[in-house]
């Protein structure tokens, strides 16, 4: 089993802000890292999830209370839902370059 990186699919609408289209900047950051290292990204199961809740695919993996994205679901169990810790895990677990301080 691979680690699974769940990201919000860009271009979503939020009814609280009519007429506007959005992206999650944390997810966009992850997308940029994945695009920069496609050979490493191919070793992950990357899923782009629609914005509205319930996010059934995420809830099925982590439970109803854990639907925030981005999230890295670890192959051996557990998950990381902090952008900086996800980036660190991509470096440590999968060989992605380090983010420059």
């Amino acid at each position: 089993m691979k680690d699974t990186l769940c990201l919000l699919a860009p271009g979503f609408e939020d009814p609280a802000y009519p007429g506007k289209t959005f992206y999650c900047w944390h997810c966009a950051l992850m997308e940029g890292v994945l695009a920069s290292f496609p050979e490493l990204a191919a070793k992950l199961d990357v899923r782009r999830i629609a914005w509205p809740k319930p996010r059934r695919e995420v809830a099925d993996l982590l439970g109803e209370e854990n639907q925030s994205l981005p999230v890295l679901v670890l192959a051996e169990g557990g998950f990381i839902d902090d952008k900086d810790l996800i980036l660190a895990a991509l470096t440590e677990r999968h060989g992605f370059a380090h983010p420059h301080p």
Side-chain angles (χ1 to χ4, degrees):
M1 186 171 163
K2 298 177 179 184
D3 284 355
T4 301
L5 180 61
C6 296
L7 304 170
L8 279 172
F12 59 87
E13 294 180 6
D14 181 342
Y17 303 93
K20 293 185 179 181
T21 304
F22 297 94
Y23 65 90
C24 165
W25 74 269
H26 292 171
C27 297
L29 170 64
M30 302 296 156
E31 292 281 15
V33 172
L34 295 174
S36 296
F37 302 95
E39 69 285 351
L40 298 173
K43 297 178 183 180
L44 297 167
D45 179 5
V46 179
R47 300 180 188 181
R48 290 161 182 91
I49 310 295
W51 181 78
K53 289 184 181 178
R55 297 177 182 136
R56 191 79 268 136
E57 190 171 358
V58 179
D60 288 348
L61 288 171
L62 303 175
E64 294 291 331
E65 67 281 359
N66 297 307
Q67 296 184 44
S68 293
L69 298 177
V71 64
L72 180 65
V73 183
L74 307 177
E76 66 275 6
F79 64 93
I80 302 167
D81 61 358
D82 174 272
K83 71 171 173 49
D84 295 319
L85 296 177
I86 292 171
L87 292 172
L90 292 178
T91 298
E92 294 166 17
R93 294 172 65 89
H94 299 286
F96 284 78
H98 294 266
H100 188 273

